Amino acid sequence: MARLEVLRAYRELLRATRKSFAGDTQMLKASAIEARTKFEENRHVESESEIGRLLEDAREAARFIENMIVQARLNDRGGYEVKPGIEHAGATLEIPSEEILKRSA
């Protein structure tokens, strides 16, 4: 049972990253590697309570990625646009400056 729950949480996390980082190949790759690394680091855990805590952490991370991260996109005028979806309703958006966005591109 725990194995199925772990796989379900892993897939949920990957789905959240694919949705939030759609079109951003660099972030998709980096987030997939990070998720895989974290799950592999905890492969040896056998305690049911510890597994439960780790699964809840993974689910919380998926919810955070899905509901709190909005990708800025470069528009044809050379600026960046942020288009939050309905899933972001009620969230506080922290929009980075143009300078920060240009450095990360």
Side-chain angles (χ1 to χ4, degrees), residues 39-53:
F39 275 77
E40 286 293 334
E41 284 174 1
N42 293 295
R43 179 184 287 271
H44 67 280
V45 175
E46 293 181 14
S47 163
E48 289 294 322
S49 61
E50 183 66 7
I51 291 170
R53 186 190 65 75

Side-chain angles (χ1 to χ4, degrees), residues 71-89:
Q71 287 287 91
R73 301 201 193 285
L74 184 62
N75 63 28
D76 57 354
R77 298 180 312 277
Y80 287 88
E81 294 178 352
V82 176
K83 294 183 180 177
I86 191 71
E87 66 275 11
H88 301 106

Side-chain angles (χ1 to χ4, degrees), residues 12-91:
E12 183 180 339
L13 189 55
L14 291 181
R15 270 192 302 274
T17 62
R18 282 193 303 266
K19 180 179 176 186
S20 292
F21 302 129
D24 187 340
T25 306
Q26 184 177 355
M27 279 305 297
L28 284 168
K29 184 177 179 179
S31 61
I33 290 169
E34 180 68 15
R36 177 67 179 227
T37 300
K38 292 297 183 187
F39 275 77
E40 286 293 334
E41 284 174 1
N42 293 295
R43 179 184 287 271
H44 67 280
V45 175
E46 293 181 14
S47 163
E48 289 294 322
S49 61
E50 183 66 7
I51 291 170
R53 186 190 65 75
L54 291 166
L55 287 172
E56 185 52 40
D57 288 351
R59 290 182 192 113
E60 178 61 30
R63 284 190 296 270
F64 181 87
I65 290 167
E66 194 168 296
N67 297 315
M68 302 300 285
I69 295 179
V70 180
Q71 287 287 91
R73 301 201 193 285
L74 184 62
N75 63 28
D76 57 354
R77 298 180 312 277
Y80 287 88
E81 294 178 352
V82 176
K83 294 183 180 177
I86 191 71
E87 66 275 11
H88 301 106

